[in-house]
Amino acid sequence: MGEQQHVKFPQEVIDEYAALGVDLPALFSAGHLGTRMGVQIVEASAERVVGTMPVEGNTQPYGLLHGGASAVLAETLGSVGSMLHGGSSKIAVGVDLNCTHHRGARSGVVTGVATPVHRGRTTATYEIVITDENDKRVCTARLTCLLRDVRPGDEELVRSAS
């Protein structure tokens, strides 16, 4: 759990962030929380972000996937899309997340797919659909991120996150 896979990015995005000294696959590993939860980003662009997470280790006392775990996966995927939309001159900060839990999952891996609902200059909103291994919808989430300008000193924060 927490082992990092190679993340797929368009080459121009990799080059843009590399010029800032940022390793995108490391940055979008979902950080320490995502590592502990086994979140894997397997595809990423501003138009579509796909990630997976094991159910095992992320359950509530009844043995079902914890709703908070689904929220972590959703916010991670929507934030990646928002940051890629904003580009290297913006930082994406989540300001609203809502999740509707449709059914439980007891085992296997869930997959989340984030697609944009709105991509503006100052905010980005993504819908995230999380499904089980049988392609049954487990959760539908919506995340809105504020896209704020990078300020002096932010570059170091972004670099240290990776």
Side-chain angles (χ1 to χ4, degrees), residues 68 70-72 74-76 94-99 126 128 141-144:
S70 294
V72 167
E75 184 149 359
T76 299
V95 294
D96 182 61
L97 173 68
N98 78 54
C99 300
Y126 281 75
I128 304 92
R142 188 186 68 241
L143 174 71
T144 298

Side-chain angles (χ1 to χ4, degrees), residues 4-14 24-26 28 40-50 80 84:
Q4 195 170 331
Q5 294 179 350
H6 178 70
V7 180
K8 301 172 194 168
F9 291 98
Q11 189 59 48
E12 64 272 12
V13 174
I14 292 171
L24 277 180
F28 291 130
Q40 301 287 328
I41 308 283
V42 296
E43 177 186 332
S45 71
E47 292 77 31
R48 176 180 157 96
V49 182
V50 179
V80 168
L84 290 173

Side-chain angles (χ1 to χ4, degrees), residues 61-93:
Y62 298 117
L64 298 171
L65 178 65
H66 195 291
S70 294
V72 167
L73 179 59
E75 184 149 359
T76 299
L77 300 179
S79 293
V80 168
S82 295
M83 192 162 185
L84 290 173
H85 164 66
S88 60
S89 66
K90 300 282 187 176
I91 290 180
V93 180

Side-chain angles (χ1 to χ4, degrees), residues 13-56:
V13 174
I14 292 171
D15 294 344
E16 179 182 2
Y17 282 85
L20 297 172
V22 176
D23 176 359
L24 277 180
L27 179 62
F28 291 130
S29 68
H32 297 293
L33 178 60
T35 298
R36 280 194 302 274
M37 297 182 74
V39 172
Q40 301 287 328
I41 308 283
V42 296
E43 177 186 332
S45 71
E47 292 77 31
R48 176 180 157 96
V49 182
V50 179
T52 62
M53 181 180 66
V55 173
E56 184 179 342

